[in-house]
Amino acid sequence: MAQNKHVISKDLKWSEKTALSILNNYPKAWQIDGNQKPKWDYKMGFLLFSLEKLYQKTNEPRYLNYIKEYADEMIDSSGNIEKYDQKEYNIDYVNPGKILFHLYDITKDNRYEKVIVQLRKQLENQPRTESGGFWHKQIYPNQMWIDGLYMAEPFYTQYTLRYENGKSLDDIAKQFELVQNHLVDKKTGLVYQCWDQSKQIAWANPKTGTSPTIWGRGIGWYMMALVETLDYYPKSHPKYKTLVGYLNQISKSAVQYKSSSGLWYQVADKPQLKGNYLEPSASAMIIYALAKGSDKGYLASNYKKTAQKSFDAFVKEFVKVGETGEVNILKVSPSVGLGGKPFRDGTNEYYISGKTKDNGSPALAAFLLSALELDK
């Protein structure tokens, strides 16, 4: 039986057009990016977080139902996540936990709270580098990945304020401090994707331990990690100003590396590199973080103007509206990583040679959030 599709009126805002396109193309949230079976995954977490923000603005029940349906399909009757194994210590698994705070508040269903507590337990036992940074996964010893900040810290901040009287706020600030000290490139002020404190892995710079490439989406993950952590981080905490300072540093550096139209490259610091391309997920994440940072007063108001101009350039460059009004975002970078088998060496070439695809979920979610933040 064909599902009744939502009608996408051209009078709707970009955020709702994008949301309804997602609901039409992926009747179940786990189907995004062509997944064949349900999985608990950071990408669904990011996508559903964007829909949660839209629901909070519109009170449109179909968005909430879509989020809840995913949670209920992934969490069994006794409050366990299907196929989740804490011992993998995969920091990506923490990200979808963010959608459960709101669901729990609305429904008071204890299964959601049980999962929230399980994910906190994972962080409690997550292996750490010698200096106290979370490993990205058990299989990546001594490595902090920039996307890991987004996966863990906004969840961790909400948790510690809600259940622990904020006792972990210093630890959260510490994760960002390690990024500033070890993953920020001294020359450009931008962030590398990874840092191996042991400097053992083949891709690590022998002096600094960083991976070789400054990845556009990595900058986006980091900026979003900061603005979303600051959503909850108490202003009265001594580290609050420090985090705002980090956001100002990375925002200033990122703006220096945008294209003349206002978008960002896959290999962010090398626009001239042969085969390099403007990349939608990086661009939308940075636009969202600049707009939100400015709205919240962490960043100066001129960043909002930059975000608006870049948003218009984004629509021109990447958005294609289909016959029935659905939003398509073109040429999204595939997922990239480092190490593993086969070994990924993290060279500039590796980042630009991956096959792009339309409607990759990080771009859809970030575009929805940026449209919402700019009220476009």
Side-chain angles (χ1 to χ4, degrees):
M1 189 185 114
Q3 190 225 12
N4 290 330
K5 297 224 164 183
H6 302 282
V7 178
I8 304 173
S9 147
K10 54 180 194 300
D11 304 327
L12 288 171
K13 292 192 167 156
W14 280 117
S15 51
E16 288 221 69
K17 282 186 203 163
T18 305
L20 295 176
S21 306
I22 292 164
L23 268 54
N24 283 346
N25 291 332
Y26 314 104
K28 291 178 178 296
W30 55 259
Q31 294 170 319
I32 57 156
D33 296 322
N35 284 311
Q36 298 302 306
K37 48 182 194 288
K39 61 186 217 177
W40 183 258
D41 186 86
Y42 76 92
K43 290 180 176 174
M44 290 97 207
F46 184 36
L47 194 76
L48 294 173
F49 170 80
S50 73
L51 286 163
E52 177 186 285
K53 292 288 169 237
L54 184 61
Y55 169 71
Q56 287 167 345
K57 196 156 187 175
T58 60
N59 283 321
E60 177 57 69
R62 55 190 164 186
Y63 305 137
L64 181 65
N65 295 340
Y66 189 73
I67 297 167
K68 188 175 184 306
E69 208 169 86
Y70 174 74
D72 292 344
E73 203 159 347
M74 293 308 307
I75 298 167
D76 68 20
S77 54
S78 48
N80 295 302
I81 307 167
E82 297 289 342
K83 298 193 171 62
Y84 165 76
D85 179 3
Q86 186 186 306
K87 290 189 295 295
E88 287 179 34
Y89 290 110
N90 179 345
I91 212 159
D92 290 341
Y93 291 157
V94 178
N95 189 49
K98 284 189 308 202
I99 62 171
L100 300 177
F101 292 111
H102 186 232
L103 280 180
Y104 176 69
D105 288 342
I106 293 172
T107 61
K108 292 291 179 255
D109 182 333
N110 289 327
R111 293 174 313 136
Y112 302 144
E113 192 166 56
K114 272 183 90 165
V115 172
I116 289 170
V117 171
Q118 262 176 27
L119 294 170
R120 172 68 183 96
K121 199 167 220 75
Q122 178 187 321
L123 286 178
E124 190 65 46
N125 301 309
Q126 187 83 6
R128 291 173 182 250
T129 66
E130 211 179 306
S131 55
F134 290 132
W135 290 11
H136 198 69
K137 296 181 187 178
Q138 181 72 45
I139 55 170
Y140 300 133
N142 306 306
Q143 293 171 32
M144 282 186 87
W145 290 28
I146 197 67
D147 25 332
L149 278 284
Y150 183 80
M151 303 307 156
E153 298 352 306
F155 170 88
Y156 192 10
T157 310
Q158 285 177 78
Y159 188 98
T160 195
L161 290 166
R162 189 186 273 239
Y163 296 106
E164 307 172 330
N165 269 333
K167 81 173 170 93
S168 305
L169 288 167
D170 282 332
D171 188 34
I172 290 158
K174 170 92 183 181
Q175 306 303 313
F176 287 103
E177 187 187 329
L178 289 167
V179 167
Q180 288 297 126
N181 292 344
H182 300 283
L183 283 115
V184 172
D185 173 49
K186 301 282 182 278
K187 195 171 111 231
T188 60
L190 302 172
V191 282
Y192 289 102
Q193 189 179 355
C194 299
W195 170 55
D196 173 8
Q197 182 158 17
S198 69
K199 305 184 178 111
Q200 293 301 302
I201 194 161
W203 50 249
N205 177 311
K207 276 206 189 70
T208 61
T210 54
S211 57
T213 298
I214 293 176
W215 175 43
R217 192 190 295 164
I219 299 168
W221 285 128
Y222 184 54
M223 289 175 69
M224 294 194 308
L226 280 162
V227 289
E228 287 177 18
T229 297
L230 283 164
D231 263 347
Y232 305 99
Y233 212 89
K235 283 194 165 81
S236 56
H237 193 277
K239 293 287 182 209
Y240 174 84
K241 278 200 173 75
T242 309
L243 295 178
V244 170
Y246 295 162
L247 179 63
N248 275 274
Q249 180 273 308
I250 188 71
S251 299
K252 185 175 176 215
S253 302
V255 167
Q256 286 168 343
Y257 281 89
K258 69 177 171 36
S259 71
S260 54
S261 68
L263 301 167
W264 282 267
Y265 283 89
Q266 170 73 344
V267 176
D269 61 327
K270 299 195 175 82
Q272 268 67 52
L273 186 68
K274 188 175 176 329
N276 200 2
Y277 57 94
L278 292 172
E279 201 284 314
S281 67
S283 299
M285 287 176 175
I286 295 169
I287 292 165
Y288 159 58
L290 292 175
K292 186 178 169 77
S294 180
D295 281 341
K296 294 276 185 164
Y298 317 134
L299 298 173
S301 59
N302 58 318
Y303 282 106
K304 179 87 179 257
K305 291 191 192 72
T306 300
Q308 276 166 334
K309 195 171 160 240
S310 295
F311 184 91
D312 296 339
F314 183 101
V315 171
K316 219 155 96 185
E317 178 83 25
F318 300 124
V319 176
K320 185 170 171 237
V321 177
E323 276 160 29
T324 54
E326 78 280 5
V327 169
N328 295 289
I329 298 179
L330 311 177
K331 297 207 287 265
V332 184
S333 155
S335 291
V336 294
L338 291 121
K341 298 177 176 81
F343 186 78
R344 297 167 296 178
D345 61 6
T347 57
N348 289 180
E349 288 61 42
Y350 160 71
Y351 284 81
I352 51 183
S353 61
K355 199 170 155 26
T356 62
K357 62 170 189 185
D358 296 348
N359 296 325
S361 64
L364 287 169
F367 178 63
L368 198 165
L369 286 165
S370 64
L372 201 55
E373 197 62 46
L374 291 162
D375 203 27
K376 288 283 192 180

